[in-house]
Amino acid sequence: MKVLMLNGSCNPKGCTYTALTEVGKTLTSAGIDYEIVQLGGDPVRDCIGCNQCSKNGCVFTDGGVNDFIAKARQADGFVFGTPVYYAHPSGRVLSFLDRVFYAGGSAFAGKPGAAVASARRAGTTASLDALGKYFGISDMVTVGSTYWNMVHGHCPEDVMLDGEGLQTMRNLGRSMAWLLHCIQAGREAGYDFPAPERGHCGHEKPRSGRGQCHRSHLPPDAGRGGCAGGGEPGIISPKRTKKKEDAPFQRCVLFVSGLFHYRYRFIRSAS
């Protein structure tokens, strides 16, 4: 068994890496391999919602997204690590994971995942909440520890002095190893992860029943298994054309936004 980790920091050997390594050591002692993928310092493209995902992953081959999806399909568990700069996960790790889960979400279903945050002081729980959203929408099992999965420090040496944080990382590794062994034992006994029910789509429900789900083009083995609520798998849904009934709504939006604009200019001039 193997756990795939993501170091969302530009620093390959910094605080986030130190926390992930502590988890990895515990996994190794439990007979589970691990690999840390370094996000690196290169620019990361954001998802643009082009709906061109396929069984091969994202249509844009830069940034290592498709390589990570390929590794994810072979992995048994996941730990995503992020530094905290402005009280939230780094924008780069969010852009990367948005594309990974949008193009290859099926690679994560039924597998355990955990998030780890590293900060000098604050913003860690908000970062963990954000990363946990990927687990909740992808049919994954979230792994916790004896405290929120965070370490504190300005440099790796500071993290090594965070006794409670390192203990939390080790306990996270133990929980992950235990769950992976339980999943393996369940499969051997004939209990596999349950197949999800399909039929209702919650992705960008169109107003007044117009249009189609933006995931309806995805084939069954891409993303989260495509959309069962509309469109034929493998066929790109046509973009919704503007209709006459949209015009009053658009005029109303422009009118209200114009009022706020001129009100703001009036207040600025009066002050």
Side-chain angles (χ1 to χ4, degrees):
M1 290 182 289
K2 184 176 182 178
V3 171
L4 183 64
M5 301 185 182
L6 176 66
N7 180 8
S9 172
C10 297
N11 189 346
K13 301 286 185 178
C15 298
T16 307
Y17 172 83
T18 303
L20 293 175
T21 302
E22 196 70 15
V23 179
K25 292 177 181 178
T26 305
L27 292 172
T28 301
S29 64
I32 296 175
D33 297 329
Y34 76 96
E35 176 186 358
I36 299 179
V37 174
Q38 305 287 351
L39 191 54
D42 295 332
V44 178
R45 183 194 301 267
D46 198 3
C47 179
I48 61 173
C50 65
N51 291 338
Q52 298 298 314
C53 305
S54 69
K55 63 180 180 180
N56 297 321
C58 181
V59 67
F60 298 105
T61 58
D62 59 334
V65 167
N66 292 337
D67 291 338
F68 191 84
I69 293 175
K71 290 177 180 290
R73 296 196 186 281
Q74 304 301 319
D76 301 287
F78 306 92
V79 180
F80 301 147
T82 180
V84 178
Y85 300 134
Y86 286 92
H88 58 71
S90 72
R92 301 172 69 259
V93 73
L94 292 179
S95 295
F96 183 83
L97 289 177
D98 279 356
R99 291 171 59 199
V100 164
F101 276 86
Y102 193 90
S106 61
F108 300 88
K111 300 177 182 179
V116 170
S118 168
R120 186 188 68 84
R121 185 173 294 272
T124 46
T125 53
S127 298
L128 294 176
D129 288 343
L131 293 182
K133 301 294 192 301
Y134 295 106
F135 308 142
I137 198 174
S138 301
D139 221 2
M140 300 177 67
V141 179
T142 303
V143 183
S145 184
T146 49
Y147 197 76
W148 291 292
N149 303 332
M150 64 182 72
V151 294
H152 289 86
H154 185 67
C155 59
E157 291 75 18
D158 291 343
V159 173
M160 295 305 297
L161 297 176
D162 182 7
E164 185 177 9
L166 294 178
Q167 175 181 270
T168 302
M169 296 301 107
R170 292 191 294 270
N171 287 334
L172 172 60
R174 293 185 183 97
S175 297
M176 175 70 76
W178 174 81
L179 184 55
L180 287 174
H181 285 299
C182 287
I183 293 175
Q184 183 183 46
R187 287 200 181 107
E188 293 173 354
Y191 292 94
D192 208 342
F193 195 78
E197 177 183 336
R198 302 293 185 187
H200 294 277
C201 173
H203 308 122
E204 291 187 2
K205 290 184 178 179
R207 297 194 308 269
S208 302
R210 300 191 302 270
Q212 290 179 318
C213 168
H214 72 294
R215 283 180 178 263
S216 61
H217 70 285
L218 294 180
D221 56 348
R224 299 186 63 239
C227 169
E232 180 181 352
I235 302 298
I236 298 176
S237 300
K239 293 183 178 179
R240 183 170 65 89
T241 57
K242 294 183 179 180
K243 297 184 178 181
K244 292 183 178 180
E245 56 263 31
D246 291 336
F249 174 77
Q250 293 174 353
R251 286 197 296 267
C252 179
V253 172
L254 291 175
F255 175 74
V256 173
S257 61
L259 286 179
F260 278 101
H261 173 72
Y262 284 108
R263 181 175 181 271
Y264 173 76
R265 292 185 59 184
F266 175 77
I267 294 174
R268 287 290 301 271
S269 61
S271 59

